[in-house]
Coordinates of all heavy atoms in Angstrom, one line a residue:
M1 N 11.0 14.7 -7.8 CA 9.8 13.9 -7.6 C 9.9 13.1 -6.3 O 10.9 12.5 -6.0 CB 9.6 13.0 -8.8 CG 8.2 12.6 -9.1 SD 8.0 11.6 -10.5 CE 8.3 10.0 -9.8
N2 N 8.8 13.1 -5.7 CA 8.6 12.3 -4.5 C 8.3 10.9 -4.8 O 7.3 10.6 -5.4 CB 7.5 12.9 -3.7 CG 8.0 13.5 -2.4 OD1 9.1 13.3 -2.0 ND2 7.2 14.4 -1.8
T3 N 9.0 10.0 -4.3 CA 8.7 8.6 -4.4 C 8.5 7.9 -3.1 O 9.2 8.2 -2.1 CB 9.7 7.8 -5.3 OG1 11.0 8.1 -4.8 CG2 9.5 8.2 -6.8
L4 N 7.7 6.9 -3.1 CA 7.5 6.1 -1.9 C 8.2 4.8 -2.0 O 8.7 4.4 -3.1 CB 6.0 5.8 -1.7 CG 5.1 7.1 -1.6 CD1 3.6 6.6 -1.5 CD2 5.4 7.9 -0.4
H5 N 8.4 4.2 -0.9 CA 9.1 2.9 -0.9 C 8.2 1.8 -1.3 O 8.7 0.6 -1.5 CB 9.7 2.6 0.5 CG 8.6 2.5 1.6 ND1 7.8 3.5 2.0 CD2 8.2 1.4 2.3 CE1 7.0 3.0 2.9 NE2 7.2 1.8 3.1
V6 N 7.0 2.1 -1.6 CA 6.1 1.0 -2.1 C 5.4 1.5 -3.4 O 5.3 2.7 -3.6 CB 5.0 0.6 -1.1 CG1 5.6 -0.1 0.1 CG2 4.2 1.8 -0.6
K7 N 5.1 0.6 -4.2 CA 4.4 1.1 -5.5 C 3.2 0.1 -5.7 O 3.0 -0.9 -5.1 CB 5.4 1.1 -6.6 CG 6.0 -0.3 -6.9 CD 7.1 -0.1 -8.0 CE 7.6 -1.5 -8.3 NZ 8.8 -1.6 -8.9
T8 N 2.4 0.6 -6.7 CA 1.2 -0.2 -7.1 C 1.6 -1.6 -7.4 O 2.5 -1.8 -8.2 CB 0.5 0.5 -8.3 OG1 0.4 1.9 -7.9 CG2 -0.9 -0.1 -8.5
G9 N 0.8 -2.5 -6.9 CA 1.1 -3.9 -7.2 C 1.9 -4.7 -6.1 O 1.9 -5.9 -6.0
D10 N 2.5 -3.9 -5.2 CA 3.3 -4.5 -4.1 C 2.3 -5.1 -3.1 O 1.2 -4.5 -2.9 CB 4.1 -3.4 -3.4 CG 5.4 -3.0 -4.1 OD1 5.8 -3.7 -5.0 OD2 5.9 -2.0 -3.8
T11 N 2.8 -6.1 -2.4 CA 2.0 -6.6 -1.3 C 2.7 -6.0 0.0 O 3.9 -6.0 0.2 CB 2.1 -8.1 -1.2 OG1 1.5 -8.6 -2.4 CG2 1.3 -8.6 0.0
V12 N 1.9 -5.4 0.8 CA 2.4 -4.7 2.0 C 1.6 -5.1 3.2 O 0.5 -5.6 3.2 CB 2.3 -3.1 1.8 CG1 3.2 -2.6 0.7 CG2 0.9 -2.7 1.6
Q13 N 2.3 -4.8 4.4 CA 1.6 -5.1 5.6 C 1.6 -3.8 6.5 O 2.6 -3.0 6.5 CB 2.3 -6.2 6.4 CG 1.6 -6.5 7.7 CD 2.0 -7.9 8.2 OE1 3.0 -8.5 7.7 NE2 1.3 -8.4 9.1
V14 N 0.5 -3.5 7.1 CA 0.4 -2.3 7.9 C 1.1 -2.6 9.3 O 0.7 -3.6 10.0 CB -1.0 -1.8 8.1 CG1 -1.1 -0.5 8.9 CG2 -1.7 -1.7 6.7
I15 N 2.0 -1.8 9.7 CA 2.7 -2.1 11.0 C 2.3 -1.2 12.2 O 2.6 -1.5 13.3 CB 4.3 -1.9 10.8 CG1 4.6 -0.6 10.0 CG2 4.8 -3.1 10.0 CD1 6.0 -0.1 10.3
S16 N 1.5 -0.2 11.9 CA 1.0 0.6 13.0 C -0.2 1.3 12.7 O -0.6 1.4 11.5 CB 2.1 1.6 13.6 OG 2.3 2.6 12.6
G17 N -0.9 1.8 13.7 CA -2.2 2.6 13.4 C -3.4 1.7 13.5 O -3.3 0.5 13.9
R18 N -4.5 2.2 13.0 CA -5.8 1.6 13.1 C -5.9 0.3 12.3 O -6.5 -0.6 12.7 CB -6.8 2.6 12.5 CG -8.2 2.3 13.0 CD -9.0 3.6 12.8 NE -9.3 3.9 11.4 CZ -10.3 3.4 10.7 NH1 -11.2 2.6 11.3 NH2 -10.5 3.8 9.5
S19 N -5.2 0.2 11.2 CA -5.2 -1.0 10.4 C -4.1 -2.0 10.6 O -3.7 -2.8 9.8 CB -5.3 -0.6 8.9 OG -6.3 0.3 8.7
K20 N -3.4 -1.8 11.8 CA -2.2 -2.6 12.1 C -2.5 -4.1 11.8 O -3.5 -4.7 12.2 CB -1.9 -2.5 13.5 CG -0.5 -3.1 13.9 CD -0.2 -2.8 15.4 CE 1.0 -3.6 15.8 NZ 1.4 -3.3 17.1
G21 N -1.5 -4.7 11.1 CA -1.7 -6.2 10.8 C -2.3 -6.4 9.5 O -2.2 -7.5 9.0
G22 N -3.0 -5.4 8.9 CA -3.7 -5.6 7.7 C -2.6 -5.8 6.5 O -1.6 -5.2 6.5
K23 N -3.0 -6.7 5.7 CA -2.1 -7.1 4.6 C -2.8 -7.1 3.3 O -4.0 -7.6 3.2 CB -1.5 -8.5 4.9 CG -0.2 -8.9 4.2 CD 0.3 -10.1 4.9 CE 1.2 -10.9 4.0 NZ 1.7 -12.1 4.6
G24 N -2.2 -6.6 2.3 CA -2.9 -6.6 1.0 C -2.1 -6.0 -0.1 O -0.9 -5.6 0.1
K25 N -2.7 -6.0 -1.3 CA -2.0 -5.4 -2.4 C -2.2 -3.9 -2.6 O -3.4 -3.5 -2.4 CB -2.5 -6.2 -3.7 CG -1.5 -6.3 -4.8 CD -2.0 -7.3 -5.8 CE -2.3 -6.6 -7.1 NZ -2.9 -7.5 -8.1
V26 N -1.2 -3.2 -2.9 CA -1.3 -1.8 -3.1 C -2.1 -1.5 -4.4 O -1.6 -2.0 -5.5 CB 0.0 -1.1 -3.1 CG1 -0.1 0.4 -3.5 CG2 0.8 -1.3 -1.8
V27 N -3.2 -0.8 -4.3 CA -3.9 -0.6 -5.6 C -3.7 0.8 -6.1 O -4.0 1.1 -7.2 CB -5.4 -0.9 -5.4 CG1 -5.7 -2.4 -5.3 CG2 -6.1 -0.2 -4.2
A28 N -3.3 1.7 -5.2 CA -3.0 3.1 -5.6 C -2.0 3.8 -4.6 O -2.0 3.5 -3.4 CB -4.3 3.9 -5.7
V29 N -1.2 4.6 -5.2 CA -0.3 5.4 -4.3 C -0.4 6.9 -4.6 O -0.7 7.2 -5.8 CB 1.2 5.0 -4.5 CG1 1.5 3.6 -4.0 CG2 1.7 5.1 -5.9
S30 N -0.3 7.7 -3.6 CA -0.3 9.1 -3.9 C 0.9 9.7 -3.2 O 0.9 10.0 -2.0 CB -1.6 9.9 -3.5 OG -1.9 9.7 -2.2
P31 N 2.1 9.8 -3.9 CA 3.3 10.2 -3.3 C 3.2 11.6 -2.7 O 3.9 11.9 -1.7 CB 4.3 10.2 -4.5 CG 3.6 9.3 -5.5 CD 2.2 9.4 -5.3
K32 N 2.4 12.4 -3.3 CA 2.3 13.8 -2.8 C 1.7 13.8 -1.3 O 2.2 14.6 -0.5 CB 1.3 14.6 -3.7 CG 1.9 16.0 -4.0 CD 1.1 16.6 -5.1 CE 0.0 17.5 -4.6 NZ -0.9 18.1 -5.6
E33 N 0.7 13.0 -1.1 CA 0.1 12.9 0.2 C 0.8 11.9 1.1 O 0.6 11.8 2.3 CB -1.3 12.6 0.1 CG -2.3 13.7 -0.2 CD -2.4 13.9 -1.7 OE1 -2.3 12.9 -2.4 OE2 -2.6 15.0 -2.2
G34 N 1.7 11.1 0.5 CA 2.4 10.0 1.3 C 1.4 9.0 1.7 O 1.5 8.4 2.8
Q35 N 0.4 8.7 0.9 CA -0.6 7.7 1.2 C -0.7 6.6 0.2 O -0.4 6.8 -1.0 CB -1.9 8.4 1.4 CG -2.0 9.3 2.6 CD -3.3 10.1 2.6 OE1 -3.9 10.4 1.6 NE2 -3.7 10.4 3.8
V36 N -1.2 5.5 0.7 CA -1.4 4.4 -0.2 C -2.8 3.8 0.0 O -3.3 3.9 1.1 CB -0.3 3.3 -0.1 CG1 1.0 3.7 -0.5 CG2 -0.3 2.7 1.3
I37 N -3.4 3.2 -1.0 CA -4.6 2.5 -0.8 C -4.3 1.0 -1.0 O -3.7 0.6 -1.9 CB -5.6 2.9 -1.9 CG1 -5.8 4.4 -2.0 CG2 -7.0 2.1 -1.8 CD1 -6.9 5.0 -1.1
I38 N -4.7 0.3 0.0 CA -4.4 -1.2 0.0 C -5.7 -2.0 -0.1 O -6.7 -1.7 0.7 CB -3.6 -1.6 1.3 CG1 -2.4 -0.6 1.5 CG2 -3.2 -3.0 1.3 CD1 -1.9 -0.6 2.9
E39 N -5.7 -2.9 -1.0 CA -6.9 -3.7 -1.2 C -7.3 -4.4 0.1 O -6.6 -5.1 0.7 CB -6.5 -4.8 -2.2 CG -7.6 -5.5 -2.9 CD -7.1 -6.4 -4.0 OE1 -6.4 -7.4 -3.7 OE2 -7.3 -6.1 -5.2
G40 N -8.6 -4.1 0.5 CA -9.2 -4.8 1.6 C -8.7 -4.3 3.0 O -9.1 -4.8 4.0
V41 N -7.9 -3.2 3.0 CA -7.4 -2.7 4.3 C -7.9 -1.3 4.5 O -8.1 -0.5 3.6 CB -5.8 -2.7 4.3 CG1 -5.3 -1.9 5.5 CG2 -5.3 -4.1 4.2
N42 N -8.2 -1.0 5.8 CA -8.8 0.3 6.2 C -10.1 0.6 5.5 O -10.3 1.7 4.9 CB -7.8 1.4 6.0 CG -8.1 2.7 6.7 OD1 -8.9 2.7 7.7 ND2 -7.7 3.8 6.2
L43 N -11.0 -0.4 5.6 CA -12.3 -0.2 4.9 C -13.1 0.9 5.6 O -13.2 0.8 6.9 CB -13.0 -1.5 4.9 CG -12.5 -2.6 3.9 CD1 -13.3 -3.9 4.0 CD2 -12.6 -2.1 2.4
V44 N -13.6 1.8 4.9 CA -14.4 2.8 5.5 C -15.8 2.7 4.9 O -16.0 2.3 3.7 CB -13.8 4.2 5.3 CG1 -12.6 4.4 6.1 CG2 -13.5 4.5 3.8
T45 N -16.8 3.0 5.7 CA -18.1 2.9 5.2 C -18.6 4.2 4.7 O -18.5 5.2 5.4 CB -19.0 2.4 6.4 OG1 -18.4 1.4 7.1 CG2 -20.3 1.9 5.9
K46 N -19.1 4.2 3.5 CA -19.6 5.4 2.9 C -21.1 5.3 2.7 O -21.6 4.2 2.3 CB -18.9 5.6 1.6 CG -17.5 6.2 1.7 CD -17.0 6.4 0.4 CE -15.5 7.0 0.5 NZ -14.8 7.0 -0.8
H47 N -21.8 6.3 3.1 CA -23.2 6.3 2.9 C -23.5 7.0 1.6 O -23.1 8.1 1.3 CB -23.9 7.0 4.0 CG -23.8 6.3 5.3 ND1 -24.7 5.5 5.8 CD2 -22.8 6.4 6.2 CE1 -24.3 5.0 7.0 NE2 -23.1 5.5 7.3
V48 N -24.2 6.2 0.7 CA -24.4 6.8 -0.6 C -25.9 7.2 -0.7 O -26.8 6.4 -0.4 CB -24.1 5.7 -1.7 CG1 -24.4 6.2 -3.1 CG2 -22.6 5.3 -1.5
K49 N -26.1 8.4 -1.1 CA -27.5 8.8 -1.3 C -27.9 8.5 -2.7 O -27.1 8.5 -3.7 CB -27.5 10.4 -1.2 CG -27.5 10.8 0.3 CD -27.6 12.3 0.3 CE -27.4 12.8 1.8 NZ -27.2 14.2 1.8
P50 N -29.2 8.1 -2.8 CA -29.7 7.8 -4.2 C -29.6 9.1 -5.0 O -30.0 10.2 -4.6 CB -31.1 7.4 -3.9 CG -31.5 7.9 -2.5 CD -30.2 8.0 -1.8
K51 N -29.0 8.9 -6.2 CA -28.8 10.1 -7.1 C -30.1 10.3 -7.9 O -30.4 11.5 -8.3 CB -27.6 9.8 -8.0 CG -26.3 10.0 -7.3 CD -25.2 9.9 -8.3 CE -23.8 9.8 -7.5 NZ -23.3 8.5 -7.6
R52 N -30.7 9.3 -8.3 CA -31.9 9.4 -9.1 C -33.1 8.8 -8.4 O -32.9 8.0 -7.6 CB -31.7 8.7 -10.5 CG -31.2 9.7 -11.6 CD -30.8 8.9 -12.8 NE -29.4 8.5 -12.7 CZ -28.9 7.3 -13.2 NH1 -29.8 6.5 -13.9 NH2 -27.7 7.0 -13.1
Q53 N -34.2 9.2 -8.9 CA -35.4 8.7 -8.3 C -35.5 7.2 -8.6 O -35.2 6.8 -9.8 CB -36.7 9.4 -8.8 CG -37.8 9.5 -7.8 CD -38.9 10.3 -8.3 OE1 -39.0 10.7 -9.4 NE2 -39.9 10.6 -7.4
G54 N -35.9 6.4 -7.7 CA -36.0 5.0 -8.0 C -34.7 4.2 -7.5 O -34.7 3.0 -7.3
E55 N -33.6 4.9 -7.4 CA -32.4 4.3 -7.0 C -32.4 4.2 -5.4 O -32.9 5.1 -4.8 CB -31.2 5.2 -7.4 CG -30.5 4.7 -8.6 CD -29.2 5.5 -8.9 OE1 -28.7 6.2 -8.0 OE2 -28.8 5.5 -10.1
T56 N -31.8 3.2 -4.9 CA -31.8 3.1 -3.5 C -30.4 3.5 -3.0 O -29.4 3.2 -3.6 CB -32.1 1.7 -3.0 OG1 -31.3 0.8 -3.8 CG2 -33.5 1.3 -3.1
G57 N -30.4 4.3 -1.9 CA -29.1 4.7 -1.3 C -28.6 3.5 -0.6 O -29.3 2.5 -0.4
G58 N -27.4 3.6 -0.1 CA -27.0 2.5 0.7 C -25.6 2.7 1.3 O -25.1 3.8 1.3
I59 N -25.1 1.7 1.8 CA -23.8 1.7 2.5 C -22.8 1.0 1.6 O -23.0 -0.2 1.3 CB -23.9 1.2 3.9 CG1 -24.8 2.1 4.8 CG2 -22.5 1.1 4.5 CD1 -25.2 1.4 6.1
V60 N -21.7 1.7 1.3 CA -20.7 1.1 0.4 C -19.4 1.1 1.2 O -19.1 2.0 1.9 CB -20.6 1.9 -0.9 CG1 -19.4 1.5 -1.7 CG2 -21.8 1.9 -1.7
K61 N -18.7 0.0 1.1 CA -17.4 -0.1 1.8 C -16.3 0.2 0.8 O -16.3 -0.4 -0.3 CB -17.2 -1.5 2.4 CG -18.1 -1.7 3.6 CD -17.5 -2.6 4.6 CE -18.3 -2.5 5.9 NZ -17.7 -3.2 7.0
A62 N -15.4 1.0 1.1 CA -14.3 1.4 0.2 C -13.1 1.5 1.1 O -13.1 1.8 2.2 CB -14.6 2.7 -0.5
E63 N -11.9 1.3 0.4 CA -10.7 1.4 1.1 C -10.3 2.8 1.3 O -10.3 3.6 0.4 CB -9.6 0.7 0.3 CG -9.6 -0.8 0.3 CD -10.3 -1.4 -0.9 OE1 -10.9 -0.7 -1.7 OE2 -10.2 -2.7 -1.1
G64 N -9.9 3.1 2.5 CA -9.4 4.4 2.8 C -7.9 4.5 2.7 O -7.3 3.4 2.8
P65 N -7.3 5.6 2.6 CA -5.9 5.7 2.5 C -5.2 5.4 3.8 O -5.7 5.7 4.9 CB -5.6 7.2 2.1 CG -6.9 7.9 2.5 CD -8.0 6.9 2.5
V66 N -4.0 4.8 3.7 CA -3.1 4.5 4.8 C -1.8 5.3 4.6 O -1.3 5.3 3.5 CB -2.9 3.0 4.9 CG1 -1.9 2.7 6.1 CG2 -4.2 2.2 5.1
R67 N -1.3 5.8 5.7 CA 0.0 6.5 5.5 C 1.1 5.6 5.1 O 1.2 4.5 5.7 CB 0.3 7.3 6.8 CG -0.6 8.4 7.2 CD 0.1 9.5 8.0 NE 1.1 10.2 7.2 CZ 0.9 11.1 6.3 NH1 -0.4 11.5 6.0 NH2 1.8 11.7 5.6
A68 N 1.8 6.0 4.1 CA 2.8 5.1 3.6 C 3.9 4.7 4.6 O 4.5 3.7 4.6 CB 3.5 5.7 2.4
C69 N 4.1 5.6 5.6 CA 5.2 5.4 6.6 C 4.7 4.3 7.5 O 5.5 3.8 8.3 CB 5.5 6.6 7.3 SG 4.2 7.4 8.2
K70 N 3.5 3.9 7.5 CA 3.0 2.9 8.4 C 2.9 1.5 7.7 O 2.4 0.5 8.3 CB 1.6 3.2 8.9 CG 1.6 4.4 9.9 CD 0.2 4.7 10.4 CE 0.3 5.8 11.4 NZ -1.0 6.2 11.8
V71 N 3.4 1.4 6.5 CA 3.3 0.1 5.8 C 4.7 -0.4 5.5 O 5.6 0.4 5.3 CB 2.5 0.1 4.5 CG1 1.1 0.7 4.8 CG2 3.1 0.9 3.4
M72 N 4.9 -1.7 5.5 CA 6.1 -2.3 5.2 C 5.9 -3.2 4.0 O 4.8 -3.9 3.9 CB 6.7 -3.1 6.3 CG 7.6 -2.3 7.2 SD 8.1 -3.2 8.6 CE 9.8 -3.6 8.1
L73 N 6.8 -3.3 3.1 CA 6.7 -4.2 2.0 C 6.8 -5.6 2.5 O 7.6 -6.0 3.3 CB 7.9 -3.9 1.1 CG 7.8 -4.4 -0.3 CD1 6.7 -3.7 -1.1 CD2 9.1 -4.4 -1.0
V74 N 6.0 -6.5 1.9 CA 6.1 -7.9 2.2 C 7.0 -8.5 1.1 O 6.7 -8.4 -0.1 CB 4.7 -8.6 2.2 CG1 4.9 -10.1 2.4 CG2 3.9 -8.0 3.4
C75 N 8.1 -9.1 1.5 CA 9.0 -9.7 0.5 C 8.3 -10.8 -0.2 O 7.8 -11.8 0.4 CB 10.2 -10.2 1.3 SG 11.4 -11.1 0.2
P76 N 8.4 -10.8 -1.6 CA 7.7 -11.9 -2.3 C 8.4 -13.2 -2.1 O 7.9 -14.3 -2.4 CB 7.8 -11.4 -3.8 CG 8.7 -10.3 -3.8 CD 8.9 -9.8 -2.4
K77 N 9.7 -13.2 -1.7 CA 10.4 -14.4 -1.5 C 10.3 -15.0 -0.1 O 9.9 -16.2 0.0 CB 11.9 -14.2 -1.8 CG 12.6 -15.5 -2.1 CD 14.0 -15.3 -2.7 CE 14.7 -16.6 -2.9 NZ 16.1 -16.4 -2.9
C78 N 10.5 -14.2 0.9 CA 10.5 -14.8 2.2 C 9.1 -14.6 2.9 O 8.8 -15.2 4.0 CB 11.6 -14.4 3.1 SG 11.7 -12.6 3.5
G79 N 8.2 -13.8 2.3 CA 6.9 -13.7 2.7 C 6.7 -12.9 4.0 O 5.7 -12.9 4.7
K80 N 7.8 -12.2 4.4 CA 7.7 -11.4 5.7 C 7.7 -9.9 5.4 O 8.2 -9.5 4.3 CB 8.9 -11.7 6.6 CG 8.9 -13.2 7.0 CD 9.9 -13.4 8.2 CE 9.7 -14.7 8.8 NZ 10.5 -15.8 8.0
A81 N 7.1 -9.1 6.3 CA 7.2 -7.7 6.2 C 8.6 -7.3 6.5 O 9.1 -7.6 7.6 CB 6.3 -7.0 7.2
V82 N 9.3 -6.7 5.6 CA 10.7 -6.5 5.7 C 11.2 -5.1 5.4 O 10.4 -4.3 4.7 CB 11.5 -7.4 4.7 CG1 11.4 -8.9 5.1 CG2 11.1 -7.2 3.3
R83 N 12.3 -4.7 5.8 CA 12.9 -3.5 5.4 C 13.6 -3.7 4.1 O 14.1 -4.8 3.8 CB 14.0 -3.1 6.4 CG 13.4 -2.6 7.7 CD 14.5 -2.1 8.6 NE 13.9 -1.6 9.9 CZ 13.2 -0.5 10.0 NH1 13.2 0.4 9.0 NH2 12.7 -0.2 11.2
T84 N 13.5 -2.7 3.2 CA 14.1 -2.9 1.9 C 15.3 -1.9 1.8 O 15.2 -0.8 2.3 CB 13.1 -2.7 0.8 OG1 12.4 -1.5 1.0 CG2 12.1 -3.8 0.8
G85 N 16.2 -2.3 1.0 CA 17.3 -1.4 0.6 C 17.2 -1.1 -0.9 O 16.5 -1.8 -1.6
V86 N 18.0 -0.2 -1.3 CA 18.1 0.1 -2.8 C 19.5 -0.1 -3.2 O 20.4 0.3 -2.6 CB 17.6 1.5 -3.1 CG1 17.8 1.8 -4.6 CG2 16.1 1.7 -2.7
R87 N 19.6 -0.9 -4.3 CA 20.9 -1.2 -4.9 C 20.9 -0.6 -6.3 O 20.0 -0.7 -7.0 CB 21.0 -2.7 -5.0 CG 22.4 -3.2 -4.9 CD 22.3 -4.7 -4.8 NE 22.3 -5.3 -3.5 CZ 21.8 -6.5 -3.2 NH1 21.2 -7.2 -4.1 NH2 22.0 -7.0 -2.0
I88 N 22.0 0.1 -6.6 CA 22.1 0.6 -7.9 C 22.8 -0.4 -8.8 O 24.0 -0.8 -8.5 CB 22.9 2.0 -7.9 CG1 22.4 2.9 -6.8 CG2 22.9 2.6 -9.3 CD1 21.1 3.6 -7.1
D89 N 22.2 -0.7 -9.9 CA 22.8 -1.7 -10.8 C 22.8 -1.0 -12.2 O 21.8 -1.0 -12.9 CB 21.9 -3.0 -10.9 CG 22.5 -4.0 -11.8 OD1 23.7 -3.8 -12.2 OD2 21.8 -5.0 -12.1
G90 N 23.9 -0.4 -12.5 CA 24.0 0.3 -13.7 C 23.1 1.6 -13.7 O 23.3 2.4 -12.8
D91 N 22.1 1.6 -14.5 CA 21.2 2.7 -14.6 C 19.9 2.4 -13.8 O 19.1 3.3 -13.6 CB 20.8 3.1 -16.0 CG 22.0 3.7 -16.7 OD1 22.9 4.3 -16.1 OD2 22.0 3.6 -18.0
T92 N 19.8 1.2 -13.4 CA 18.5 0.9 -12.7 C 18.7 0.7 -11.2 O 19.7 0.2 -10.7 CB 17.9 -0.4 -13.3 OG1 18.9 -1.4 -13.3 CG2 17.4 -0.2 -14.7
K93 N 17.7 1.1 -10.5 CA 17.6 0.9 -9.1 C 16.9 -0.3 -8.8 O 15.8 -0.6 -9.3 CB 16.8 2.1 -8.5 CG 17.7 3.3 -8.1 CD 16.8 4.2 -7.3 CE 17.4 5.6 -7.2 NZ 16.5 6.5 -6.5
K94 N 17.4 -1.1 -7.9 CA 16.8 -2.4 -7.6 C 16.5 -2.4 -6.1 O 17.4 -2.0 -5.3 CB 17.6 -3.6 -8.0 CG 17.5 -3.9 -9.4 CD 18.3 -5.2 -9.7 CE 18.1 -5.6 -11.1 NZ 19.2 -6.6 -11.5
R95 N 15.3 -2.8 -5.7 CA 15.1 -2.9 -4.3 C 15.4 -4.3 -3.9 O 15.3 -5.2 -4.6 CB 13.6 -2.6 -4.0 CG 13.1 -1.2 -4.3 CD 11.7 -1.1 -4.0 NE 10.9 -2.0 -4.7 CZ 9.6 -2.2 -4.6 NH1 8.9 -1.4 -3.8 NH2 8.9 -3.0 -5.3
Y96 N 15.9 -4.4 -2.7 CA 16.2 -5.7 -2.2 C 15.7 -5.9 -0.7 O 15.6 -4.9 0.0 CB 17.7 -6.1 -2.3 CG 18.6 -5.3 -1.4 CD1 19.0 -5.8 -0.2 CD2 19.0 -4.1 -1.8 CE1 19.9 -5.1 0.6 CE2 19.9 -3.3 -1.0 CZ 20.3 -3.9 0.2 OH 21.1 -3.2 1.0
C97 N 15.5 -7.1 -0.4 CA 15.0 -7.5 0.9 C 16.2 -7.6 1.9 O 17.2 -8.3 1.5 CB 14.3 -8.8 0.9 SG 14.0 -9.6 2.4
K98 N 16.2 -6.9 3.0 CA 17.3 -6.9 3.9 C 17.4 -8.2 4.7 O 18.4 -8.4 5.4 CB 17.3 -5.7 4.8 CG 17.6 -4.4 4.1 CD 17.9 -3.2 5.0 CE 18.4 -2.0 4.2 NZ 18.5 -0.8 5.1
K99 N 16.4 -9.0 4.6 CA 16.4 -10.2 5.3 C 16.9 -11.4 4.5 O 17.9 -12.0 4.9 CB 14.9 -10.6 5.7 CG 14.8 -11.4 7.0 CD 13.4 -11.3 7.5 CE 13.4 -11.3 9.0 NZ 12.3 -10.5 9.6
C100 N 16.4 -11.6 3.3 CA 16.8 -12.7 2.5 C 17.6 -12.3 1.3 O 18.1 -13.1 0.5 CB 15.7 -13.6 2.1 SG 14.6 -12.9 0.8
N101 N 17.8 -11.0 1.1 CA 18.6 -10.5 0.0 C 18.0 -10.6 -1.4 O 18.7 -10.3 -2.4 CB 20.0 -11.1 0.0 CG 21.1 -10.1 -0.3 OD1 20.9 -8.9 -0.1 ND2 22.2 -10.6 -0.8
A102 N 16.8 -11.0 -1.5 CA 16.2 -11.1 -2.8 C 15.9 -9.8 -3.4 O 15.5 -8.8 -2.7 CB 14.8 -11.9 -2.7
E103 N 16.2 -9.7 -4.7 CA 15.9 -8.4 -5.4 C 14.5 -8.4 -6.0 O 14.1 -9.5 -6.5 CB 17.0 -8.2 -6.5 CG 18.3 -7.8 -5.9 CD 19.3 -7.6 -7.0 OE1 19.0 -7.9 -8.2 OE2 20.4 -7.1 -6.7
F104 N 13.9 -7.3 -6.0 CA 12.6 -7.2 -6.7 C 12.3 -5.8 -7.1 O 13.0 -4.9 -6.8 CB 11.4 -7.8 -5.8 CG 11.5 -7.4 -4.4 CD1 11.0 -6.2 -4.0 CD2 12.2 -8.2 -3.5 CE1 11.1 -5.8 -2.6 CE2 12.2 -7.9 -2.1 CZ 11.8 -6.6 -1.7
Ligands
LIG201 ZN1 13.0 -11.6 1.8

């Protein structure tokens, strides 16, 4: 199974690309595509056509996917975009911040 270094609920920062500097919570990940959806980041405008008579079409903003390799995890403890390592503790894998050593 393919896993990404970030998961749903993580706060991440975009480090390169069009949405560079964008920061937000991961709302969805797709390991297969290597993409993540981040709340409020990489907003794309979608034109919506009215489906039924009487409905008005419009422009809807929605988050577009960002390549996972372009995002870094924001450490909940030191609040910085950091590199993370993985530590094996018995049967569980724990991620840790390479800056302040906090586990999460
Ligand atoms: Zn940290």
Side-chain angles (χ1 to χ4, degrees):
M1 205 177 88
N2 248 341
T3 47
L4 301 175
H5 63 294
V6 291
K7 58 184 186 200
T8 310
D10 282 345
T11 301
V12 296
Q13 186 160 13
V14 184
I15 48 159
S16 69
R18 201 158 72 87
S19 308
K20 189 177 173 180
K23 199 168 157 184
K25 210 166 114 184
V26 176
V27 290
V29 293
S30 59
K32 224 169 97 185
E33 280 86 30
Q35 290 175 331
V36 294
I37 305 274
I38 309 160
E39 200 174 64
V41 172
N42 194 25
L43 288 175
V44 289
T45 317
K46 284 182 181 169
H47 295 265
V48 180
K49 280 184 188 163
K51 286 188 189 104
R52 265 171 273 148
Q53 214 174 8
E55 260 183 21
T56 46
I59 294 166
V60 171
K61 289 206 168 193
E63 285 97 351
V66 177
R67 294 211 64 81
C69 58
K70 289 183 178 173
V71 305
M72 269 176 105
L73 195 74
V74 174
C75 172
K77 199 171 177 199
C78 64
K80 296 194 172 83
V82 293
R83 288 185 181 282
T84 53
V86 175
R87 210 175 260 157
I88 311 286
D89 182 14
D91 290 335
T92 52
K93 272 191 194 173
K94 279 182 178 166
R95 291 181 306 177
Y96 69 96
C97 168
K98 285 193 174 170
K99 209 164 218 148
C100 71
N101 219 25
E103 286 181 350
F104 41 85

